[in-house]
């Protein structure tokens, strides 16, 4: 388009000069000393226009000649910058390819000619991460010193996260927490920071803090289903293992959804916690709720046995006996159920009934617990022959 306009302008000018020449017959005389030069006015105008064009282009050539050194310098700078950006691209590519040494070297080489501070920051971050993965402490320290110059707010979040991950990999969890909290002050909804804090608190066995992080991640739907269930089992298991009060235990248990409460995993964790804090009445109530489902009664046989050994309250013993008899009706050949009934009847001083259950359990599956409680029954009923037989069996268990 520009070429077309130029040609059009030249064509118009040519037409104008030709038209002017048709109606102009004047002449111009120029005297130089004793010489006289006589020219037509048309030719003089043409020469004047030509001289203007020649002078214009001479000036342009002169200016361009003076600009040549500057252009050469700018070309060199531009080529060096292109090379630096190429190095930075290689560094990023090699990082994702797992070529960490090459990533580190290319990142540092890109800094020599790089003018943009954002790109410099990116290069240092890549170099730092590569050094961290290579476990090269000297390189890490060198880059960490360089990163201190980047103090503007726009770089702080990335710096805190990178350094926190480094501390986490070196198991320096306290420093990692400091940097992750600093990152969350900059961005309260930062998912990776919450996720890393969850992992840090799990390593420190700080399950209450881990629960806070997990609760936030679940609320914001920031974990895959498999990961969420895995983390939740660890956190709840840790909490239930350290809680010392039923009220606090129920606070976390009641936050579980319906399916989780009915699952054996969380049920068992909750029940074991009740046994540990010796709240046997709540433990019995828990079993009563779960025994409404006949399909899972046998799962809690071990729980019944654990309670039978610890409970001494008459009402609780009676409730446990009913639960055990209910489960026994579905599986009369279960040695552990027979043992539990034997223990419960012994606790209630129904010695003959206890002996029957214990002996039946031993016929199906010999066990140390059944033998011990049968010796207790023998001692209480003054049955010396049975006591001697039990003692022989106990010696056998000790040797084996």
């Amino acid at each position: 388009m520009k070429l077309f306009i130029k040609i059009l302008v030249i064509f118009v000018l040519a037409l104008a000069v030709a038209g002017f020449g048709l109606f102009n017959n004047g002449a111009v005389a120029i005297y130089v000393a004793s010489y006289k030069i006589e020219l037509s006015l048309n030719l003089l105008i043409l020469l004047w226009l030509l001289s203007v064009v020649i002078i214009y282009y001479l000036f342009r050539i002169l200016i361009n000649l003076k600009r040549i050194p500057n252009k050469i310098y700018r070309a060199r700078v531009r080529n060096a910058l292109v090379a630096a950006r190429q190095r930075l691209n290689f560094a990023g590519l090699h990082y994702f390819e797992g070529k960490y040494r090459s990533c580190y070297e290319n990142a540092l080489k890109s800094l020599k000619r790089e003018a943009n501070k954002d790109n410099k920051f990116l290069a240092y971050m890549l170099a730092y991460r590569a050094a961290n993965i290579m476990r090269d402490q000297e390189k890490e320290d060198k880059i960490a010193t360089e990163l201190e110059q980047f103090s503007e707010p726009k770089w702080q979040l990335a710096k805190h996260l990178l350094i926190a991950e480094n501390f986490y990999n070196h198991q320096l969890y306290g420093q990692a927490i400091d940097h992750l909290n600093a990152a969350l002050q900059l961005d309260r909804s930062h998912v990776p920071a919450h996720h890393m804090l969850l992992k840090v608190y799990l390593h420190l066995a700080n399950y209450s803090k881990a629960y806070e992080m997990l609760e936030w991640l679940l609320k914001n739907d920031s974990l895959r289903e498999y990961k969420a269930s895995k983390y939740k089992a660890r956190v709840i298991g840790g909490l239930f293992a350290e809680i010392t009060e039923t009220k606090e235990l129920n606070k976390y248990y009641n936050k579980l959804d319906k399916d989780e409460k009915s699952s054996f995993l969380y049920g068992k964790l909750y029940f074991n916690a009740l046994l540990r804090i010796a709240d046997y009445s709540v433990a019995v109530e828990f079993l009563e709720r779960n025994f409404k489902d006949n399909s899972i009664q046998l799962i809690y046989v071990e729980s019944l046995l654990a309670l039978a050994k610890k409970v001494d309250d008459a009402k609780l013993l009676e409730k446990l006996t009913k639960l055990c008899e209910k489960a026994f009706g579905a599986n009369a050949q279960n040695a552990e159920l027979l043992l539990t009934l034997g223990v419960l009847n012994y606790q209630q001083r129904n010695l003959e009934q206890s002996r029957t259950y214990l002996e039946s359990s031993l016929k199906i599956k010999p066990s140390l617990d059944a033998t011990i409680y049968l010796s207790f029954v023998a001692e209480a009923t003054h049955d010396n022959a049975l006591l001697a037989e039990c003692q022989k069996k106990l010696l056998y268990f000790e040797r084996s």
Side-chain angles (χ1 to χ4, degrees), residues 363-375:
K363 285 178 182 177
I364 297 170
K365 183 182 177 182
S367 68
L368 180 60
D369 280 339
T371 307
I372 289 171
Y373 275 94
L374 187 59
S375 69

Side-chain angles (χ1 to χ4, degrees), residues 2 33 38 48 59 61 67 96 105 108 113 116 126 148 153 164 181 184 195 213 333 338 364 393:
K2 287 181 180 180
E38 192 172 327
W48 177 77
F59 268 108
I61 291 168
R67 287 178 178 174
F96 290 108
E105 291 171 355
L108 291 187
R113 299 290 183 180
N116 187 294
L126 284 168
E148 290 176 6
N181 284 331
L184 287 177
H195 194 183
M213 295 301 111
Q333 295 301 309
L338 288 164
I364 297 170
K393 289 180 179 177

Side-chain angles (χ1 to χ4, degrees), residues 275-276 280 305-313 343 347 373:
L275 288 184
R276 183 175 51 78
Y280 302 130
L305 181 59
L307 269 175
K309 292 177 181 178
K310 296 177 182 292
V311 172
D312 53 12
D313 181 82
V343 173
Q347 298 279 52
Y373 275 94

Side-chain angles (χ1 to χ4, degrees), residues 199-218:
K199 294 194 290 184
V200 169
Y201 286 133
L202 283 173
H203 279 288
L204 293 173
N206 189 340
Y207 296 108
S208 58
K209 284 287 187 182
Y211 186 85
E212 289 178 20
M213 295 301 111
L214 179 63
E215 197 171 33
W216 187 94
L217 289 165
L218 292 174

Side-chain angles (χ1 to χ4, degrees), residues 180-292:
L180 289 169
N181 284 331
L184 287 177
Q185 285 179 359
L186 296 168
D187 183 359
R188 296 304 305 173
S189 60
H190 198 276
V191 172
H194 281 91
H195 194 183
M196 196 180 298
L197 269 173
L198 169 61
K199 294 194 290 184
V200 169
Y201 286 133
L202 283 173
H203 279 288
L204 293 173
N206 189 340
Y207 296 108
S208 58
K209 284 287 187 182
Y211 186 85
E212 289 178 20
M213 295 301 111
L214 179 63
E215 197 171 33
W216 187 94
L217 289 165
L218 292 174
K219 182 181 177 182
N220 290 275
D221 196 23
S222 302
L223 287 174
R224 291 182 180 179
E225 188 176 347
Y226 167 74
K227 283 283 185 182
S229 60
K230 183 180 176 182
Y231 280 129
K232 194 165 191 176
R234 273 188 75 184
V235 172
I236 296 297
L239 278 172
F240 285 6
E242 65 184 17
I243 289 173
T244 57
E245 294 181 0
T246 306
K247 185 178 179 181
E248 188 181 2
L249 182 66
N250 286 335
K251 181 183 79 172
Y252 290 108
Y253 181 72
N254 290 332
K255 286 183 179 181
L256 297 173
D257 61 39
K258 186 178 179 181
D259 291 336
E260 289 170 338
K261 284 181 180 178
S262 62
S263 73
F264 176 67
L265 171 64
Y266 292 108
K268 189 64 176 172
L269 290 171
Y270 177 69
F271 182 81
N272 289 342
L274 290 170
L275 288 184
R276 183 175 51 78
I277 61 181
D279 195 336
Y280 302 130
S281 61
V282 177
V284 172
E285 288 174 11
F286 169 79
L287 287 179
E288 285 179 322
R289 287 197 306 272
N290 281 278
F291 264 59
K292 291 175 183 177

Side-chain angles (χ1 to χ4, degrees), residues 49-60:
L49 288 173
L50 187 59
S51 64
V52 169
V53 172
I54 291 170
I55 291 169
Y56 168 75
Y57 278 105
L58 284 174
F59 268 108
R60 282 200 63 176

Side-chain angles (χ1 to χ4, degrees), residues 35-268:
Y35 298 99
K36 177 185 177 182
I37 302 173
E38 192 172 327
L39 299 170
S40 70
L41 184 59
N42 292 333
L43 180 59
L44 182 64
I45 292 171
L46 189 60
L47 290 173
W48 177 77
L49 288 173
L50 187 59
S51 64
V52 169
V53 172
I54 291 170
I55 291 169
Y56 168 75
Y57 278 105
L58 284 174
F59 268 108
R60 282 200 63 176
I61 291 168
L62 182 62
I63 291 168
N64 286 330
L65 285 172
K66 287 183 177 181
R67 287 178 178 174
I68 285 175
N70 245 350
K71 287 183 176 179
I72 292 171
Y73 172 75
R74 284 201 299 270
R76 285 178 177 175
V77 170
R78 186 171 58 253
N79 291 338
L81 190 58
V82 169
R85 300 284 166 81
Q86 193 175 34
R87 290 284 186 183
L88 183 60
N89 288 339
F90 284 152
L93 183 63
H94 291 171
Y95 173 80
F96 290 108
E97 289 177 347
K99 301 173 183 177
Y100 301 115
R101 189 167 300 282
S102 176
C103 168
Y104 177 85
E105 291 171 355
N106 277 293
L108 291 187
K109 286 177 182 177
S110 74
L111 293 165
K112 293 178 181 177
R113 299 290 183 180
E114 183 57 67
N116 187 294
K117 207 165 183 183
D118 287 333
N119 286 336
K120 283 185 176 181
F121 177 70
L122 179 58
Y124 278 125
M125 293 281 280
L126 284 168
Y128 185 82
R129 188 73 185 98
N132 173 243
I133 295 173
M134 291 189 296
R135 298 288 190 269
D136 193 324
Q137 191 64 48
E138 185 180 345
K139 286 185 172 66
E140 270 185 45
D141 295 340
K142 178 184 174 182
I143 303 301
T145 305
E146 295 293 339
L147 279 170
E148 290 176 6
Q149 66 183 287
F150 299 93
S151 56
E152 292 182 34
K154 64 179 179 179
W155 296 314
Q156 294 309 302
L157 181 60
K159 274 178 64 177
H160 285 307
L161 288 170
L162 184 69
I163 294 170
E165 187 174 5
N166 181 33
F167 282 132
Y168 174 78
N169 291 334
H170 286 88
Q171 299 182 357
L172 300 171
Y173 300 124
Q175 292 95 317
I177 289 172
D178 291 340
H179 282 280
L180 289 169
N181 284 331
L184 287 177
Q185 285 179 359
L186 296 168
D187 183 359
R188 296 304 305 173
S189 60
H190 198 276
V191 172
H194 281 91
H195 194 183
M196 196 180 298
L197 269 173
L198 169 61
K199 294 194 290 184
V200 169
Y201 286 133
L202 283 173
H203 279 288
L204 293 173
N206 189 340
Y207 296 108
S208 58
K209 284 287 187 182
Y211 186 85
E212 289 178 20
M213 295 301 111
L214 179 63
E215 197 171 33
W216 187 94
L217 289 165
L218 292 174
K219 182 181 177 182
N220 290 275
D221 196 23
S222 302
L223 287 174
R224 291 182 180 179
E225 188 176 347
Y226 167 74
K227 283 283 185 182
S229 60
K230 183 180 176 182
Y231 280 129
K232 194 165 191 176
R234 273 188 75 184
V235 172
I236 296 297
L239 278 172
F240 285 6
E242 65 184 17
I243 289 173
T244 57
E245 294 181 0
T246 306
K247 185 178 179 181
E248 188 181 2
L249 182 66
N250 286 335
K251 181 183 79 172
Y252 290 108
Y253 181 72
N254 290 332
K255 286 183 179 181
L256 297 173
D257 61 39
K258 186 178 179 181
D259 291 336
E260 289 170 338
K261 284 181 180 178
S262 62
S263 73
F264 176 67
L265 171 64
Y266 292 108
K268 189 64 176 172

